[in-house]
Amino acid sequence: MQQPQKNITEPFSPYQLLVIALLALLQFTIVLDFMVLAPLGDFLMKSLSMSPKGFGLVVSSYAFSAGASGILAAGFADKFDRKKLLLFFYSGFIVGTLCCALATNYEMLLGARIVTGLFGGVIGAISMTIVTDLFEVHQRGRVMGIVQMGFAASQVLGIPIGLYFANIWGWHSSFLMIVILAVLIGIAILIKVKPIDKHLAIQSDKSPFLHLWHSITNRSYQTGFFATAFMSVGGFMLMPFGSAFLINNINISEAQLPLVFMFTGLASIVIMPMIGKLSDKVDKFMVFTGGSLLAVVLILVYTNLSPVPLWQVIVINMILFMGVMSRMIPATALTMSVPDLKDRGAFMSVNASVQQMAGGIAALSAGLIVTQKTKSSPLEHYDTLGIVVSALILLCIFLVYRVSVMVKKKEASMLK
């Protein structure tokens, strides 16, 4: 078990650094497209006369369509060059986001989110597959620490800028910003990234549907799917109503809202590379457990907040997201190590599908738990939501433990 430890500090090649940077930027646009809905939630609920239940449906529509496309694409995910597959789905994502920018009513926005989800939901899976193909297991924690910085960068740059544009030109401009940036990233991937097709030489299932069936029925893979499902529930439950809670319950103004997201994202940018390195040096499951316990404590504090000064809200959010990131990075690195090379595309697609569908159910459930009497009245039962999310996080610790044991056995067998 000592061999991987010797290579932990092995530097990345220039090409690997390029791929990491492009995947991080790509992740930034995908995450921002979803994340921007939460801070725009108050704008959308008021301008399009949406109830919390209706807004929950807009959020979950992306998740459900992404989940469906993940299942449909899984059988074909290992049949093509990963670069071509990535560009195909990224192009569809750009078109869907453009439709969001052009939406003028609730129905059009709902339809646009469904289209965006059909393409966007598979992109994360393809990216994770590329990382697994190009990087060794002892490098993946560091890689994910950087790639997942797209999540933090969306908080620091994307969401505040998106809110700034929304305040000046309306919420449509936030989606236009994502479209322009995504087009530039897509062109860079087309020109700079080499074909990624080594997996094509070892395919055994000629039928895409047979390949999908073998991946779904694999007991080891099922363990990873269950862990991923419960991992996604917490974020999808709390996130959609975050801005509405801050504005209507904590009395944060719309002008102050970008500051909350910016400082939270800055904290994430600092902590994520550190968590990535720590995940490669020590036991990933222990890092995940520590992050989970921290997240539970902060979630229970956050969801029971009454009006407090802005700085207190920022500090609580910063620590909360440190806990969330400390869960996401090691858990993702562990899950990526579950499938064999010949099944990676299918596994990641199904895994992304499970993640999105579980998230869709979570968003709908949150919309049923949280209520609001009028457009500007405080959200009710948000504290109940915090208890539910905390319980699910604790259950997820057991599921990720099973994944950790399985991955360690696999690594041990490869070293023999």
Side-chain angles (χ1 to χ4, degrees):
M1 297 293 290
Q2 296 301 313
Q3 184 61 31
Q5 295 292 330
K6 293 179 182 179
N7 297 322
I8 282 177
T9 57
E10 179 185 342
F12 296 121
S13 69
Y15 178 70
Q16 285 180 318
L17 289 173
L18 172 66
V19 171
I20 293 171
L22 288 175
L23 290 179
L25 288 169
L26 181 144
Q27 182 80 349
F28 170 77
T29 58
I30 300 298
V31 172
L32 180 59
D33 179 82
F34 176 77
M35 288 282 291
V36 79
L37 269 182
L40 289 178
D42 197 63
F43 289 86
L44 293 169
M45 289 168 70
K46 289 173 181 173
S47 65
L48 300 180
S49 299
M50 280 190 281
S51 65
K53 183 178 180 180
F55 183 62
L57 182 59
V58 168
V59 175
S60 61
S61 64
Y62 178 102
F64 285 129
S65 63
S69 68
I71 291 292
L72 294 173
F76 300 89
D78 294 301
K79 305 296 181 183
F80 298 95
D81 176 351
R82 308 228 196 263
K83 173 186 172 181
K84 293 179 180 177
L85 206 63
L86 181 66
L87 287 172
F88 170 76
F89 282 100
Y90 200 44
S91 299
F93 163 80
I94 292 171
V95 172
T97 304
L98 179 61
C99 290
C100 292
L102 300 176
T104 56
N105 55 51
Y106 172 73
E107 290 75 19
M108 288 180 67
L109 180 62
L110 183 64
R113 294 312 293 166
I114 292 173
V115 172
T116 308
L118 284 172
F119 291 93
V122 182
I123 294 173
I126 301 171
S127 299
M128 297 305 100
T129 307
I130 290 172
V131 170
T132 312
D133 281 356
L134 299 184
F135 299 90
E136 299 297 329
V137 64
H138 55 272
Q139 297 177 311
R140 292 171 195 162
R142 282 181 293 156
V143 176
M144 292 310 303
I146 298 172
V147 171
Q148 294 287 10
M149 281 177 67
F151 183 93
S154 71
Q155 299 268 68
V156 177
L157 299 173
I159 291 178
I161 293 172
L163 286 172
Y164 178 75
F165 287 169
N167 280 315
I168 298 177
W169 295 300
W171 60 266
H172 304 272
S173 61
S174 301
F175 290 105
L176 278 174
M177 173 189 70
I178 299 171
V179 169
I180 294 170
L181 181 58
V183 168
L184 296 176
I185 295 169
I187 293 172
I189 292 173
L190 176 65
I191 296 173
K192 295 293 185 179
V193 176
K194 302 173 185 176
I196 305 169
D197 54 9
K198 288 183 179 180
H199 59 285
L200 298 178
I202 56 174
Q203 289 299 299
S204 57
D205 296 326
K206 294 183 178 180
S207 167
F209 300 103
L210 185 62
H211 186 51
L212 170 61
W213 177 251
H214 286 166
S215 299
I216 292 176
T217 55
N218 187 305
R219 295 293 296 273
S220 297
Y221 296 176
Q222 288 173 358
T223 302
F225 298 150
F226 276 112
T228 295
F230 280 88
M231 268 288 297
S232 65
V233 166
F236 274 91
M237 271 192 157
L238 284 179
M239 200 180 300
F241 299 102
S243 65
F245 177 73
L246 289 173
I247 290 173
N248 298 301
N249 293 61
I250 312 300
N251 298 333
I252 298 297
S253 68
E254 291 181 353
Q256 293 173 322
L257 200 59
L259 287 175
V260 177
F261 287 99
M262 184 181 72
F263 282 105
T264 303
L266 283 172
S268 299
I269 284 179
V270 172
I271 195 69
M272 291 180 84
M274 296 169 59
I275 295 297
K277 290 180 181 178
L278 187 64
S279 296
D280 282 339
K281 290 183 178 180
V282 302
D283 187 81
K284 290 180 173 61
F285 173 70
M286 295 305 296
V287 176
F288 172 83
T289 302
S292 297
L293 296 177
L294 178 62
V296 166
V297 172
L298 270 296
I299 285 170
L300 293 176
V301 171
Y302 179 76
T303 55
N304 284 277
L305 278 180
S306 55
V308 294
L310 177 63
W311 71 268
Q312 290 186 24
V313 175
I314 290 174
V315 170
I316 291 172
N317 268 274
M318 287 169 66
I319 301 173
L320 172 58
F321 270 82
M322 287 181 187
V324 171
M325 294 301 104
S326 298
R327 298 178 71 237
M328 183 185 300
I329 292 171
T332 304
L334 281 172
T335 305
M336 289 164 59
S337 301
V338 170
D340 299 324
L341 174 60
K342 63 184 179 65
D343 299 325
R344 279 176 187 163
F347 174 88
M348 295 297 184
S349 293
V350 174
N351 198 54
S353 178
V354 168
Q355 182 183 45
Q356 297 289 352
M357 289 180 134
I361 294 171
L364 277 180
S365 300
L368 296 174
I369 294 172
V370 176
T371 58
Q372 188 178 27
K373 291 179 181 178
T374 67
K375 292 181 180 180
S376 57
S377 62
L379 298 183
E380 298 179 359
H381 309 302
Y382 202 65
D383 55 340
T384 303
L385 196 62
I387 294 172
V388 173
V389 171
S390 298
L392 292 171
I393 287 175
L394 294 175
L395 175 59
C396 191
I397 292 176
F398 168 72
L399 295 172
V400 173
Y401 170 75
R402 292 185 60 194
V403 174
S404 176
V405 171
M406 184 171 58
V407 169
K408 287 176 181 176
K409 288 181 179 178
K410 182 178 179 181
E411 291 177 4
S413 65
M414 291 175 64
L415 292 173
K416 289 180 179 179

